[in-house]
Protein backbone atom coordinates (compact mmCIF):
# COMPACT_ATOMS: atom_id res chain seq x y z
CA UNK A 1 0.00 0.00 0.00
CA UNK A 2 2.83 2.37 0.94
CA UNK A 3 4.66 1.55 -2.27
CA UNK A 4 1.61 2.37 -4.41
CA UNK A 5 1.12 5.73 -2.65
CA UNK A 6 4.80 6.57 -3.12
CA UNK A 7 4.69 5.75 -6.85
CA UNK A 8 1.53 7.84 -7.21
CA UNK A 9 3.19 10.84 -5.55
CA UNK A 10 6.24 10.44 -7.79
CA UNK A 11 4.04 10.35 -10.90
CA UNK A 12 2.22 13.49 -9.79
CA UNK A 13 5.57 15.22 -9.08
CA UNK A 14 6.96 14.24 -12.52
CA UNK A 15 3.85 15.53 -14.25
CA UNK A 16 4.02 18.83 -12.32
CA UNK A 17 7.71 19.20 -13.28
CA UNK A 18 6.89 18.57 -16.96
CA UNK A 19 4.10 21.14 -16.77
CA UNK A 20 6.46 23.73 -15.24
CA UNK A 21 9.05 23.08 -17.98
CA UNK A 22 6.40 23.48 -20.70
CA UNK A 23 5.22 26.77 -19.20
CA UNK A 24 8.82 27.95 -18.85
CA UNK A 25 9.61 27.02 -22.46
CA UNK A 26 6.49 28.84 -23.68
CA UNK A 27 7.46 31.96 -21.72
CA UNK A 28 10.98 31.95 -23.19
CA UNK A 29 9.60 31.32 -26.69
CA UNK A 30 7.25 34.30 -26.33
CA UNK A 31 10.09 36.43 -24.95
CA UNK A 32 12.46 35.52 -27.79
CA UNK A 33 9.79 36.40 -30.39
CA UNK A 34 9.71 39.93 -28.95
CA UNK A 35 13.43 40.43 -29.57
CA UNK A 36 14.21 42.51 -32.70
CA UNK A 37 16.22 39.71 -34.30
CA UNK A 38 15.99 37.60 -37.41
CA UNK A 39 14.00 34.32 -36.96
CA UNK A 40 17.11 32.32 -37.93
CA UNK A 41 19.03 33.98 -35.06
CA UNK A 42 16.23 33.57 -32.52
CA UNK A 43 15.97 29.86 -33.28
CA UNK A 44 19.48 29.24 -31.93
CA UNK A 45 19.20 31.23 -28.69
CA UNK A 46 19.37 29.36 -25.41
CA UNK A 47 17.55 30.56 -22.28
CA UNK A 48 20.50 32.48 -20.74
CA UNK A 49 21.01 34.28 -24.09
CA UNK A 50 17.32 35.24 -24.24
CA UNK A 51 17.53 36.74 -20.74
CA UNK A 52 20.82 38.53 -21.52
CA UNK A 53 19.56 40.06 -24.79
CA UNK A 54 16.19 40.99 -23.29
CA UNK A 55 17.88 42.94 -20.50
CA UNK A 56 20.18 44.66 -23.01
CA UNK A 57 17.32 45.73 -25.26
CA UNK A 58 15.33 46.96 -22.24
CA UNK A 59 18.27 49.13 -21.19
CA UNK A 60 18.72 50.37 -24.77
CA UNK A 61 15.02 51.22 -24.95
CA UNK A 62 15.26 53.09 -21.65
CA UNK A 63 18.26 55.05 -22.88
CA UNK A 64 16.59 56.02 -26.17
CA UNK A 65 13.33 56.89 -24.46
CA UNK A 66 15.11 59.05 -21.93
CA UNK A 67 17.01 60.98 -24.61
CA UNK A 68 14.48 61.26 -27.39
CA UNK A 69 11.16 59.98 -26.08
CA UNK A 70 9.98 63.28 -24.64
CA UNK A 71 10.87 65.19 -27.82
CA UNK A 72 9.10 62.63 -30.03
CA UNK A 73 6.02 62.59 -27.84
CA UNK A 74 5.91 66.39 -27.80
CA UNK A 75 6.23 66.58 -31.58
CA UNK A 76 3.61 63.84 -32.01
CA UNK A 77 1.12 65.63 -29.74
CA UNK A 78 1.71 68.98 -31.47
CA UNK A 79 1.14 67.36 -34.85
CA UNK A 80 -2.14 65.77 -33.76
CA UNK A 81 -3.16 68.97 -32.01
CA UNK A 82 -2.85 70.85 -35.28
CA UNK A 83 -4.99 68.21 -36.99
CA UNK A 84 -7.66 68.60 -34.34
CA UNK A 85 -7.70 72.36 -34.71
CA UNK A 86 -7.90 72.21 -38.49
CA UNK A 87 -10.44 69.46 -38.98
CA UNK A 88 -11.70 68.14 -35.65
CA UNK A 89 -11.69 64.62 -34.26
CA UNK A 90 -13.13 63.00 -37.41
CA UNK A 91 -10.29 64.28 -39.52
CA UNK A 92 -7.76 62.97 -37.03
CA UNK A 93 -9.30 59.49 -37.24
CA UNK A 94 -9.24 59.58 -41.04
CA UNK A 95 -5.59 60.59 -41.08
CA UNK A 96 -4.53 57.84 -38.67
CA UNK A 97 -3.76 55.35 -41.42
CA UNK A 98 -1.59 57.84 -43.30
CA UNK A 99 0.28 58.70 -40.11
CA UNK A 100 1.04 55.03 -39.55
CA UNK A 101 2.33 54.68 -43.11
CA UNK A 102 4.45 57.80 -42.67
CA UNK A 103 5.98 56.45 -39.48
CA UNK A 104 6.84 53.16 -41.21
CA UNK A 105 8.41 55.02 -44.13
CA UNK A 106 10.41 57.19 -41.72
CA UNK A 107 11.60 54.04 -39.91
CA UNK A 108 12.84 52.48 -43.17
CA UNK A 109 14.55 55.72 -44.16
CA UNK A 110 16.22 56.02 -40.73
CA UNK A 111 17.47 52.42 -40.98
CA UNK A 112 18.97 53.05 -44.43
CA UNK A 113 20.58 56.26 -43.18
CA UNK A 114 22.09 54.41 -40.19
CA UNK A 115 23.55 51.72 -42.46
CA UNK A 116 25.07 54.43 -44.65
CA UNK A 117 26.70 56.14 -41.63
CA UNK A 118 28.12 52.82 -40.40
CA UNK A 119 29.63 52.04 -43.80
CA UNK A 120 31.26 55.48 -43.93
CA UNK A 121 32.48 55.15 -40.35
CA UNK A 122 34.44 51.94 -41.08
CA UNK A 123 33.74 50.82 -37.55
CA UNK A 124 30.89 49.96 -35.20
CA UNK A 125 28.91 51.56 -32.38
CA UNK A 126 29.09 50.48 -28.76
CA UNK A 127 27.16 51.61 -25.67
CA UNK A 128 28.76 50.76 -22.32
CA UNK A 129 27.25 51.05 -18.87
CA UNK A 130 29.39 52.36 -16.02
CA UNK A 131 29.83 48.74 -14.88
CA UNK A 132 31.24 47.78 -18.29
CA UNK A 133 28.16 45.96 -19.61
CA UNK A 134 27.82 46.16 -23.39
CA UNK A 135 24.26 47.50 -23.57
CA UNK A 136 24.24 47.78 -27.35
CA UNK A 137 26.47 47.12 -30.37
CA UNK A 138 25.60 47.83 -33.99
CA UNK A 139 25.01 44.69 -36.03
CA UNK A 140 28.08 45.35 -38.25
CA UNK A 141 30.37 44.45 -35.32
CA UNK A 142 30.85 40.96 -36.79
CA UNK A 143 32.54 42.51 -39.84
CA UNK A 144 35.36 43.75 -37.62
CA UNK A 145 35.43 41.37 -34.66
CA UNK A 146 34.08 38.08 -36.01
CA UNK A 147 31.80 37.91 -32.96
CA UNK A 148 28.15 38.73 -33.65
CA UNK A 149 25.94 41.31 -32.01
CA UNK A 150 23.97 38.63 -30.12
CA UNK A 151 27.17 37.00 -28.84
CA UNK A 152 28.41 40.25 -27.29
CA UNK A 153 25.37 42.22 -26.12
CA UNK A 154 24.71 41.87 -22.41
CA UNK A 155 28.20 40.59 -21.64
CA UNK A 156 30.74 42.62 -19.69
CA UNK A 157 33.50 44.16 -21.78
CA UNK A 158 36.16 43.08 -19.27
CA UNK A 159 35.56 39.49 -20.42
CA UNK A 160 36.88 40.40 -23.88
CA UNK A 161 39.54 43.12 -23.49
CA UNK A 162 43.23 42.64 -22.77
CA UNK A 163 44.00 42.37 -19.02
CA UNK A 164 46.56 45.18 -19.29
CA UNK A 165 43.81 47.55 -20.53
CA UNK A 166 41.39 46.88 -17.66
CA UNK A 167 42.61 49.76 -15.51
CA UNK A 168 42.36 52.32 -18.33
CA UNK A 169 38.82 51.23 -19.25
CA UNK A 170 37.79 51.13 -15.59
CA UNK A 171 39.04 54.70 -15.13
CA UNK A 172 37.05 55.89 -18.15
CA UNK A 173 33.89 54.22 -16.83
CA UNK A 174 34.43 55.53 -13.28
CA UNK A 175 34.79 59.09 -14.58
CA UNK A 176 31.59 58.67 -16.59
CA UNK A 177 29.63 57.98 -13.41
CA UNK A 178 30.87 61.26 -11.90
CA UNK A 179 31.09 63.65 -14.85
CA UNK A 180 28.48 65.77 -16.56
CA UNK A 181 26.80 64.58 -19.72
CA UNK A 182 28.77 65.16 -22.93
CA UNK A 183 32.31 64.63 -21.58
CA UNK A 184 34.58 63.37 -24.38
CA UNK A 185 36.33 60.02 -24.47
CA UNK A 186 39.28 59.01 -26.64
CA UNK A 187 41.29 55.85 -25.93
CA UNK A 188 42.81 52.77 -27.52
CA UNK A 189 42.07 49.24 -26.30
CA UNK A 190 42.81 45.66 -27.29
CA UNK A 191 39.85 43.31 -27.63
CA UNK A 192 39.38 39.68 -28.66
CA UNK A 193 38.72 39.06 -32.33
CA UNK A 194 37.88 35.74 -33.95
CA UNK A 195 38.75 37.00 -37.45
CA UNK A 196 41.93 35.67 -39.00
CA UNK A 197 44.19 37.72 -41.26
CA UNK A 198 42.44 36.14 -44.25
CA UNK A 199 39.01 37.24 -43.01
CA UNK A 200 37.88 33.82 -41.82
CA UNK A 201 36.23 33.30 -38.45
CA UNK A 202 37.64 31.01 -35.79
CA UNK A 203 36.45 30.01 -32.30
CA UNK A 204 36.81 32.23 -29.23
CA UNK A 205 39.57 30.08 -27.71
CA UNK A 206 41.77 30.88 -30.73
CA UNK A 207 40.91 34.60 -30.72
CA UNK A 208 43.64 37.17 -31.28
CA UNK A 209 43.89 40.76 -30.01
CA UNK A 210 42.63 43.56 -32.24
CA UNK A 211 43.46 47.19 -31.49
CA UNK A 212 40.46 49.56 -31.51
CA UNK A 213 40.44 53.34 -31.45
CA UNK A 214 37.39 54.36 -29.39
CA UNK A 215 35.93 57.87 -29.42
CA UNK A 216 32.70 59.11 -27.91
CA UNK A 217 30.93 60.89 -25.10
CA UNK A 218 29.40 60.23 -21.71
CA UNK A 219 25.60 60.17 -21.78
CA UNK A 220 23.07 60.51 -18.97
CA UNK A 221 19.57 59.02 -18.97
CA UNK A 222 17.13 60.49 -16.43
CA UNK A 223 13.87 58.69 -17.21
CA UNK A 224 12.41 56.49 -15.84
CA UNK A 225 15.53 56.16 -13.65
CA UNK A 226 18.94 57.76 -13.80
CA UNK A 227 21.99 55.95 -15.18
CA UNK A 228 25.12 56.91 -17.12
CA UNK A 229 26.73 55.25 -20.11
CA UNK A 230 29.42 55.71 -22.74
CA UNK A 231 28.41 56.06 -26.40
CA UNK A 232 31.45 55.09 -28.50
CA UNK A 233 32.49 54.66 -32.10
CA UNK A 234 35.08 51.88 -32.41
CA UNK A 235 37.44 51.66 -35.37
CA UNK A 236 40.14 49.01 -35.88
CA UNK A 237 43.67 50.25 -36.48
CA UNK A 238 45.29 48.03 -39.10
CA UNK A 239 48.00 50.28 -40.53
CA UNK A 240 47.96 48.37 -43.81
CA UNK A 241 44.43 49.68 -44.46
CA UNK A 242 45.50 53.34 -44.14
CA UNK A 243 44.88 55.23 -47.37
CA UNK A 244 47.78 57.35 -48.60
CA UNK A 245 47.36 60.64 -50.44
CA UNK A 246 49.41 63.67 -51.47
CA UNK A 247 48.77 65.15 -48.01
CA UNK A 248 50.44 62.30 -46.11
CA UNK A 249 53.99 61.20 -45.49
CA UNK A 250 55.40 58.02 -43.99
CA UNK A 251 58.25 57.74 -41.53
CA UNK A 252 60.06 55.18 -39.41
CA UNK A 253 61.32 55.76 -35.89
CA UNK A 254 63.28 54.03 -33.18
CA UNK A 255 61.34 53.17 -30.04
CA UNK A 256 62.25 56.56 -28.52
CA UNK A 257 60.68 58.27 -31.58
CA UNK A 258 63.90 59.29 -33.34
CA UNK A 259 63.62 59.42 -37.14
CA UNK A 260 65.33 56.55 -38.95
CA UNK A 261 63.57 57.14 -42.29
CA UNK A 262 61.17 59.66 -43.86
CA UNK A 263 59.84 59.84 -47.40
CA UNK A 264 60.36 62.80 -49.74
CA UNK A 265 56.81 64.16 -49.40
CA UNK A 266 57.74 65.68 -46.04
CA UNK A 267 59.73 68.34 -47.92
CA UNK A 268 56.68 69.47 -49.87
CA UNK A 269 54.42 69.43 -46.80
CA UNK A 270 56.69 70.71 -44.01
CA UNK A 271 59.79 72.03 -45.76
CA UNK A 272 62.30 69.71 -44.07
CA UNK A 273 64.50 67.39 -46.09
CA UNK A 274 64.56 63.73 -44.98
CA UNK A 275 68.28 64.06 -44.18
CA UNK A 276 67.56 66.86 -41.69
CA UNK A 277 65.21 64.63 -39.71
CA UNK A 278 67.37 61.50 -39.42
CA UNK A 279 68.55 60.86 -35.88
CA UNK A 280 66.44 63.62 -34.38
CA UNK A 281 63.43 63.14 -32.10
CA UNK A 282 59.91 63.55 -33.41
CA UNK A 283 59.18 65.67 -30.32
CA UNK A 284 61.60 68.37 -31.57
CA UNK A 285 59.29 69.18 -34.47
CA UNK A 286 56.02 69.34 -32.53
CA UNK A 287 54.33 72.15 -30.63
CA UNK A 288 55.16 72.14 -26.91
CA UNK A 289 51.49 72.46 -25.93
CA UNK A 290 50.76 69.10 -27.58
CA UNK A 291 53.20 67.14 -25.43
CA UNK A 292 50.42 65.34 -23.51
CA UNK A 293 48.81 64.16 -26.75
CA UNK A 294 52.13 62.87 -28.09
CA UNK A 295 53.11 61.19 -24.83
CA UNK A 296 49.80 59.32 -24.66
CA UNK A 297 50.22 58.21 -28.26
CA UNK A 298 53.77 57.03 -27.54
CA UNK A 299 52.67 55.02 -24.48
CA UNK A 300 49.84 53.39 -26.45
CA UNK A 301 52.37 52.36 -29.07
CA UNK A 302 54.73 50.84 -26.52
CA UNK A 303 52.03 48.92 -24.66
CA UNK A 304 49.42 48.15 -27.35
CA UNK A 305 51.51 48.12 -30.56
CA UNK A 306 49.13 50.44 -32.46
CA UNK A 307 47.73 53.91 -31.91
CA UNK A 308 46.20 57.01 -33.47
CA UNK A 309 47.48 60.29 -32.12
CA UNK A 310 44.58 62.69 -32.47
CA UNK A 311 45.25 66.19 -33.81
CA UNK A 312 48.51 67.91 -32.92
CA UNK A 313 50.75 70.62 -34.42
CA UNK A 314 53.99 70.10 -36.34
CA UNK A 315 56.28 73.03 -37.09
CA UNK A 316 56.94 74.12 -40.67
CA UNK A 317 60.49 74.86 -41.81
CA UNK A 318 59.69 78.39 -42.98
CA UNK A 319 57.69 79.31 -39.84
CA UNK A 320 54.35 78.55 -38.24
CA UNK A 321 52.76 75.11 -37.98
CA UNK A 322 50.24 72.74 -39.52
CA UNK A 323 47.71 70.44 -37.84
CA UNK A 324 48.42 66.74 -38.38
CA UNK A 325 47.31 63.29 -37.19
CA UNK A 326 49.53 60.20 -37.08
CA UNK A 327 48.52 56.55 -37.38
CA UNK A 328 51.31 54.44 -35.92
CA UNK A 329 52.23 50.81 -35.36
CA UNK A 330 55.15 48.96 -33.81
CA UNK A 331 56.83 46.67 -36.33
CA UNK A 332 58.16 43.59 -34.49
CA UNK A 333 61.72 42.40 -34.85
CA UNK A 334 62.64 39.87 -37.51
CA UNK A 335 64.42 36.91 -35.95
CA UNK A 336 67.51 35.58 -37.64
CA UNK A 337 67.24 32.14 -39.23
CA UNK A 338 69.82 29.45 -39.95
CA UNK A 339 69.78 30.30 -43.64
CA UNK A 340 70.04 34.08 -42.98
CA UNK A 341 71.92 34.47 -39.66
CA UNK A 342 72.45 38.21 -40.06
CA UNK A 343 68.81 39.25 -40.64
CA UNK A 344 67.94 40.21 -37.04
CA UNK A 345 66.34 43.68 -36.96
CA UNK A 346 65.32 45.67 -33.88
CA UNK A 347 61.84 46.98 -33.15
CA UNK A 348 60.79 50.14 -34.97
CA UNK A 349 57.74 52.38 -35.21
CA UNK A 350 56.04 53.01 -38.56
CA UNK A 351 53.98 56.22 -38.84
CA UNK A 352 51.62 57.54 -41.49
CA UNK A 353 51.06 61.25 -40.84
CA UNK A 354 48.11 63.13 -42.35
CA UNK A 355 48.45 66.89 -42.84
CA UNK A 356 45.02 68.30 -42.03
CA UNK A 357 45.46 72.05 -42.51
CA UNK A 358 47.40 74.74 -44.28
CA UNK A 359 50.21 76.65 -42.59
CA UNK A 360 48.94 78.68 -39.63
CA UNK A 361 50.73 81.77 -38.27
CA UNK A 362 53.58 81.55 -40.85
CA UNK A 363 55.44 84.47 -39.28
CA UNK A 364 55.67 82.72 -35.89
CA UNK A 365 59.06 81.18 -35.00
CA UNK A 366 58.81 78.28 -32.58
CA UNK A 367 62.25 76.65 -32.98
CA UNK A 368 65.82 77.40 -33.97
CA UNK A 369 65.28 75.43 -37.19
CA UNK A 370 62.75 78.01 -38.33
CA UNK A 371 65.07 80.88 -37.34
CA UNK A 372 68.04 79.43 -39.25
CA UNK A 373 65.92 78.92 -42.33
CA UNK A 374 64.66 82.50 -42.22
CA UNK A 375 67.99 84.29 -41.85
CA UNK A 376 70.25 82.12 -43.99
CA UNK A 377 68.06 81.31 -46.96
Amino acid sequence: MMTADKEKRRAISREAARRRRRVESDVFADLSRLLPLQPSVRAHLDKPSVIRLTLSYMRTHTLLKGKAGRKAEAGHSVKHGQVMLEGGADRQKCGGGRDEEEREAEGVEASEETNMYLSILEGFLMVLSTEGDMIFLSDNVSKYMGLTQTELMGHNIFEFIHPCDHEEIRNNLHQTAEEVCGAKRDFVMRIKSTLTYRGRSTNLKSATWKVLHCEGRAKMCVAPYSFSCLLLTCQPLPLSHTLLSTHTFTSQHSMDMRFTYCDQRVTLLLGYSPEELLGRSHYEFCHTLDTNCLTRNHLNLCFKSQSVSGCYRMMVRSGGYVWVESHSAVIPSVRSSKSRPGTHKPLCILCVTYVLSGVEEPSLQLSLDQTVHRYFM
Side-chain angles (χ1 to χ4, degrees):
M1 185 67 178
M2 292 292 293
T3 304
D5 290 341
K6 189 180 294 185
E7 288 297 330
K8 185 176 181 181
R9 287 195 298 269
R10 287 178 179 175
I12 293 173
S13 178
R14 286 194 295 269
E15 182 60 30
R18 281 195 292 268
R19 191 181 304 112
R20 285 195 299 270
R21 287 194 293 270
R22 283 198 300 269
V23 171
E24 183 183 89
S25 298
D26 292 341
V27 170
F28 275 98
D30 293 339
L31 193 57
S32 66
R33 280 193 289 270
L34 295 174
L35 294 173
L37 301 172
Q38 296 292 335
S40 57
V41 176
R42 290 199 298 263
H44 294 89
L45 294 178
D46 55 13
K47 292 177 182 178
S49 297
V50 171
I51 295 174
R52 171 171 53 83
L53 292 172
T54 301
L55 292 175
S56 293
Y57 279 113
M58 287 172 65
R59 297 174 78 174
T60 302
H61 177 74
T62 301
L63 179 63
L64 294 175
K65 187 176 180 181
K67 299 301 293 182
R70 290 192 297 271
K71 293 182 181 179
E73 289 173 5
H76 190 65
S77 61
V78 169
K79 182 177 179 181
H80 280 269
Q82 291 173 346
V83 172
M84 286 287 288
L85 289 173
E86 290 173 2
D90 292 338
R91 183 172 178 180
Q92 182 184 3
K93 291 178 182 177
C94 293
R98 287 195 298 271
D99 290 341
E100 187 67 29
E101 293 176 0
E102 289 175 5
R103 283 196 294 271
E104 291 179 0
E106 288 174 359
V108 172
E109 184 178 350
S111 177
E112 293 175 351
E113 187 176 2
T114 300
N115 292 333
M116 181 188 69
Y117 288 151
L118 290 174
S119 63
I120 295 173
L121 176 66
E122 294 187 354
F124 59 92
L125 297 177
M126 179 189 296
V127 181
L128 286 178
S129 71
T130 52
E131 295 81 23
D133 295 327
M134 290 182 281
I135 300 174
F136 176 78
L137 295 106
S138 55
D139 57 4
N140 66 332
V141 64
S142 59
K143 176 182 176 182
Y144 302 96
M145 306 306 300
L147 299 166
T148 64
Q149 181 189 45
T150 55
E151 289 175 314
L152 292 171
M153 277 180 58
H155 282 294
N156 196 281
I157 194 171
F158 292 104
E159 300 174 25
F160 295 90
I161 62 175
H162 197 285
C164 295
D165 296 341
H166 282 200
E167 184 177 358
E168 182 179 3
I169 303 302
R170 196 173 286 112
N171 288 338
N172 275 284
L173 295 174
H174 179 69
Q175 293 171 12
T176 301
E178 299 177 348
E179 288 177 345
V180 296
C181 183
K184 290 184 178 180
R185 288 290 180 276
D186 188 343
F187 56 89
V188 174
M189 68 177 180
R190 289 161 288 185
I191 192 168
K192 290 179 180 178
S193 171
T194 59
L195 284 180
T196 64
Y197 290 109
R198 296 183 178 181
R200 297 176 181 175
S201 185
T202 183
N203 56 51
L204 193 58
K205 292 182 179 179
S206 304
T208 56
W209 298 112
K210 177 164 285 191
V211 183
L212 295 180
H213 179 216
C214 302
E215 293 182 285
R217 293 182 180 273
K219 296 292 183 181
M220 174 70 75
C221 178
V222 294
Y225 57 91
S226 177
F227 72 92
S228 302
C229 66
L230 275 184
L231 176 60
L232 301 169
T233 59
C234 304
Q235 295 177 293
L237 290 178
L239 197 67
S240 60
H241 291 180
T242 304
L243 298 177
L244 302 181
S245 70
T246 56
H247 296 286
T248 65
F249 65 91
T250 59
S251 58
Q252 287 185 12
H253 305 260
S254 60
M255 292 304 295
D256 60 355
M257 288 304 293
R258 293 186 179 275
F259 282 92
T260 59
Y261 165 81
C262 193
D263 69 35
Q264 295 290 336
R265 278 179 293 191
V266 70
T267 305
L268 178 64
L269 296 169
L270 301 180
Y272 302 99
S273 66
E275 292 75 19
E276 287 181 274
L277 302 177
L278 297 182
R280 299 181 64 180
S281 173
H282 182 259
Y283 289 96
E284 295 181 42
F285 301 94
C286 300
H287 201 292
T288 307
L289 296 179
D290 297 328
T291 302
N292 289 338
C293 169
L294 297 169
T295 302
R296 184 183 63 177
N297 183 53
H298 197 176
L299 289 173
N300 279 332
L301 277 170
C302 293
F303 290 114
K304 303 174 185 178
S305 76
Q306 288 179 288
S307 184
V308 58
S309 66
C311 296
Y312 65 97
R313 288 161 284 192
M314 286 195 74
M315 289 177 281
V316 177
R317 188 74 167 82
S318 58
Y321 57 84
V322 292
W323 287 95
V324 302
E325 181 177 88
S326 295
H327 292 226
S328 312
V330 174
I331 306 302
S333 59
V334 179
R335 296 181 180 179
S336 57
S337 60
K338 294 181 180 179
S339 59
R340 301 179 64 187
T343 58
H344 180 78
K345 294 183 180 179
L347 291 169
C348 71
I349 294 173
L350 176 63
C351 294
V352 177
T353 301
Y354 290 78
V355 178
L356 306 175
S357 72
V359 180
E360 297 188 11
E361 302 190 42
S363 60
L364 184 63
Q365 300 173 29
L366 298 168
S367 72
L368 290 176
D369 291 313
Q370 294 173 317
T371 304
V372 170
H373 178 80
R374 177 159 296 186
Y375 291 108
F376 289 91
M377 292 296 288

